[in-house]
Amino acid sequence: MLTLLAIRNIVLIEALDLSFGPGLGVLTGETGAGKSILLDALGLVLGNRADSMLVRAGEDQASVTASFDCAKLPDPVREMLAEAEVEIEPGEPLILRRRLKADGGSKAFVNDQPVSVALLRALGPMLVELHGQHDDRGLVNPRGHRALLDRYVGADTASVAEAWRTWQAAEEKLTAARETIEQAKADQDLLLAHLTELAAIEPQEGEEEDLAATRTTMQKGEKLSGDLDELRALWDGSDSALAILRTAARRLDRISEEHSLLAEALAALDRAVIEAGEAEEKLARAGEALQFNPAELDRIETRLFDLRALARKHGCAVDDLPGVMRDMRTRLDAIEHGEEEIGSLQAAASAALEVYRAQAEAVHAQRLAGAKRLDAAVAAELAPLKLDAARFRTAVTELPEDRWGPSGVDAVEFLIATNPGADFAPLAKIASGGELSRFVLALKVALAEQGGAGTVIFDEIDRGVGGAVASAIGERLGRLAGHENGGQLLVVTHSPQVAARGDTHYVIHKSSEGTVTRTSVALLDPAGRQEEIARMLSGAEITLEARAQADRLLERA
């Protein structure tokens, strides 16, 4: 719901702050006072094309700010704001602002955060529904007709949408399986050749690292082989250092009891023999570990080369080659068992289609029955609105299968014929401005709802009518604004019968001082309302009879 409209330097409006509440608000004023400027300003902040002619003469820039109550924001609005990373604090309003420069440049903001004008343009129809002389949005736009009819009949479109998603998922699995099999068949010979090549080598995970480490060790052994041979010569044989130590230890053992120092010397010598023995063992083990085998090194290097060549060929790491083999075997198995899998997936897709078809046909039947009720409800509203020669029809058309979707198998469009014997056609194509607005009003009353927007604006819905028709329009506007699901209706009107129905009344006035002309808007109190409605009844000179008639209209409202 629109709660505040602040306008700065738009055409004749220098500065204007308007507060709005729920229910029916009427805006009146003499012809040329500037009612269209208000709508142009609102359109600007809702994303309409920026025209530099809107900037007040002599000013560098203009701005329009619109504030909306967030209590009943539609879910699509919240989703769109979340996607744009615009935050709304609990209890805070949604504030849209548009700034227009005299050179034609403009900037858009939502809650003081810079956004694209496209975001304002997308949010606009969900916040404000405007029905004017050249309306192609709201109820006139056939894209929303199916959802309106579904809401009217209480159709379970959620089940249809769920069945649609299940069916599409099953079809996607089937298509993917078919594509996999077809691709596998096309590549079968190449797959077999690659698999044979890989199987001949039989790569193992972690093998590259082990082979590389072994090769590095053997290469070290090749470098150290001379040193190791010399060390082994020092330790081997009867005249080696270790043999001499052991011989010395045996001789010392025979005389160690003769003196304590000899015993200590023997102990030290024994320790030396033990350490030397351990050194001999470690040298032997190092020799084995670093053993250089030219044939084995050549085998390792050849295998590493082959593994890495295959990895490059298949565009993967060496450790991924076993996985590549498994994938190839899976694809080849899919060729062998593919027809069986395709049959199973085909059965699942067919079953999902039948569930979707059953759900969609149930909603289709609801739509057909609801269309007849809606046609009758709208027809009952046409005569009082001076549209008694017109006919209304809700066309429910079954779509071909390639156009079925989550909303079912139907296209829905509201059609009218304004003259006897004339063909039915879309609302916007054959209805004049006044007729179009009255058709929309009849539709809204029949549907007993205000569409997706929390604010609905009718621009001169009473154009070209008066008397009983204007009273009928006013009565229906008041009824619609007071509906339990109602929100906020704003009406730009020249009809006193419509103005008298308003919960709030604003008057638009244009004044001049020298060469400066300004448009202002004032919220009227009860006395001001009586005077304005009396002016609308009598013209420039307000008579006592006009005031009395204004009182009678206000009493009946």
Side-chain angles (χ1 to χ4, degrees):
M1 181 180 74
L2 179 66
T3 58
L4 176 68
L5 183 64
I7 304 172
R8 300 290 183 271
N9 298 322
I10 294 288
V11 193
L12 300 179
I13 299 175
E14 187 174 17
L16 179 64
D17 294 290
L18 281 177
S19 296
F20 299 96
L24 178 59
V26 297
L27 295 94
T28 63
E30 295 180 358
T31 301
K35 295 183 289 294
S36 62
I37 299 175
L38 286 177
L39 297 181
D40 289 341
L42 183 59
L44 183 67
V45 81
L46 295 177
N48 287 359
R49 187 178 68 86
D51 186 345
S52 60
M53 296 297 291
L54 290 173
V55 180
R56 182 176 169 83
E59 300 294 337
D60 294 330
Q61 65 178 24
S63 69
V64 183
T65 303
S67 182
F68 295 87
D69 184 359
C70 290
K72 293 184 179 180
L73 276 185
D75 289 339
V77 171
R78 295 186 182 277
E79 291 167 5
M80 199 173 294
L81 292 174
E83 186 175 342
E85 297 183 350
V86 176
E87 296 183 359
I88 304 178
E89 295 295 332
E92 294 295 317
L94 173 65
I95 301 174
L96 275 55
R97 181 160 58 94
R98 185 89 176 271
R99 194 165 62 209
L100 174 62
K101 292 184 177 180
D103 62 6
S106 74
K107 291 185 178 181
F109 304 85
V110 175
N111 285 11
D112 288 328
Q113 180 174 323
V115 298
S116 67
V117 174
L119 178 61
L120 294 188
R121 192 176 302 121
L123 292 171
M126 292 184 280
L127 296 170
V128 177
E129 186 178 331
L130 174 62
H131 300 288
Q133 299 300 305
H134 304 286
D135 188 22
D136 62 354
R137 296 163 294 181
L139 292 179
V140 178
N141 192 329
R143 285 183 294 182
H145 292 176
R146 182 170 54 199
L148 288 168
L149 180 61
D150 288 344
R151 195 179 309 170
Y152 180 72
V153 302
D156 184 12
T157 52
S159 296
V160 175
E162 181 60 32
W164 161 263
R165 288 190 289 269
T166 301
W167 175 36
Q168 291 304 297
E171 287 289 350
E172 287 171 5
K173 285 184 179 179
L174 177 60
T175 300
R178 282 174 172 159
E179 289 175 353
T180 299
I181 290 172
E182 289 303 315
Q183 185 63 43
K185 284 182 178 178
D187 298 340
Q188 186 173 15
D189 291 343
L190 184 61
L191 281 172
L192 285 170
H194 284 168
L195 188 59
T196 300
E197 184 179 36
L198 284 166
I201 291 184
E202 199 65 38
Q204 304 294 321
E205 291 181 9
E207 183 179 11
E208 181 187 25
E209 185 178 354
D210 292 342
L211 288 172
T214 302
R215 182 184 64 176
T216 298
T217 300
M218 292 188 71
Q219 288 172 339
K220 288 179 181 178
E222 183 181 12
K223 289 181 181 179
L224 299 174
S225 61
D227 293 330
L228 290 173
D229 287 342
E230 290 179 7
L231 286 169
R232 275 195 293 271
L234 293 174
W235 294 102
D236 288 343
S238 57
D239 57 347
S240 68
L242 183 57
I244 294 170
L245 281 174
R246 286 171 176 160
T247 300
R250 286 195 297 272
R251 290 182 179 179
L252 186 56
D253 182 52
R254 289 196 293 269
I255 62 175
S256 61
E257 293 179 357
E258 299 299 327
H259 194 278
S260 60
L261 288 175
L262 293 175
E264 291 176 8
L266 177 61
L269 193 57
D270 285 340
R271 288 194 299 273
V273 170
I274 292 171
E275 293 290 337
E278 290 180 1
E280 181 185 35
E281 181 184 352
K282 285 181 170 55
L283 281 170
R285 286 165 57 190
E288 292 174 0
L290 294 169
Q291 185 178 12
F292 171 64
N293 184 333
E296 179 63 11
L297 179 60
D298 184 62
R299 183 195 71 79
I300 289 172
E301 289 184 332
T302 299
R303 184 161 180 81
L304 275 172
F305 177 84
D306 290 343
L307 287 170
R308 288 169 177 171
L310 280 175
R312 287 193 300 272
K313 184 175 184 178
H314 294 285
C316 66
V318 171
D319 281 350
D320 294 333
L321 287 173
V324 171
M325 290 181 64
R326 289 193 294 271
D327 179 60
M328 289 180 178
R329 289 192 179 106
T330 299
R331 291 167 66 185
L332 289 169
D333 288 343
I335 297 174
E336 296 178 12
H337 306 293
E339 294 306 322
E340 180 181 339
E341 182 186 6
I342 291 293
S344 175
L345 291 173
Q346 226 164 12
S350 297
L353 171 59
E354 289 309 309
V355 172
Y356 168 74
R357 197 196 305 272
Q359 295 277 5
E361 287 177 353
V363 169
H364 173 70
Q366 281 183 286
R367 286 169 177 161
L368 290 176
K372 292 180 180 179
R373 296 199 307 273
L374 180 58
D375 293 350
V378 173
E381 298 293 332
L382 295 180
L385 297 175
K386 203 180 177 181
L387 296 168
D388 45 319
R391 291 168 295 148
F392 174 86
R393 185 174 75 189
T394 305
V396 180
T397 308
E398 287 195 69
L399 298 168
E401 185 173 329
D402 62 348
R403 293 182 58 194
W404 291 358
S407 297
V409 298
D410 306 310
V412 177
E413 186 170 7
F414 299 147
L415 305 174
I416 60 169
T418 55
N419 299 303
D423 292 333
F424 282 93
L427 286 171
K429 289 190 176 180
I430 64 173
S432 66
E435 286 176 331
L436 181 57
S437 293
R438 298 201 299 279
F439 263 114
V440 168
L441 178 59
L443 254 175
K444 279 198 164 291
V445 173
L447 292 166
E449 60 85 50
Q450 293 199 85
T455 299
V456 180
I457 299 175
F458 286 97
D459 181 16
E460 299 189 5
I461 188 173
D462 49 10
R463 176 184 288 267
V465 301
V469 177
S471 294
I473 291 173
E475 187 273 331
R476 280 155 178 77
L477 288 169
R479 190 198 321 167
L480 188 58
H483 187 267
E484 62 180 3
N485 292 325
Q488 180 186 62
L489 266 72
L490 298 175
V491 182
V492 177
T493 180
H494 290 287
S495 168
Q497 292 90 341
V498 173
R501 292 280 179 176
D503 297 304
T504 52
H505 191 152
Y506 305 85
V507 65
I508 304 171
H509 178 69
K510 183 166 67 174
S511 62
S512 298
E513 293 181 16
T515 60
V516 178
T517 302
R518 293 183 176 88
T519 290
S520 60
V521 181
L523 176 63
L524 298 179
D525 59 15
R529 290 192 68 190
Q530 181 217 42
E531 196 73 3
E532 173 63 8
I533 293 172
R535 181 201 63 78
M536 297 171 73
L537 286 164
S538 64
E541 184 179 348
I542 302 175
T543 64
L544 292 175
E545 177 55 32
R547 290 190 177 95
Q549 179 64 17
D551 286 338
R552 286 192 289 273
L553 287 175
L554 290 167
E555 288 172 2
R556 287 200 299 265

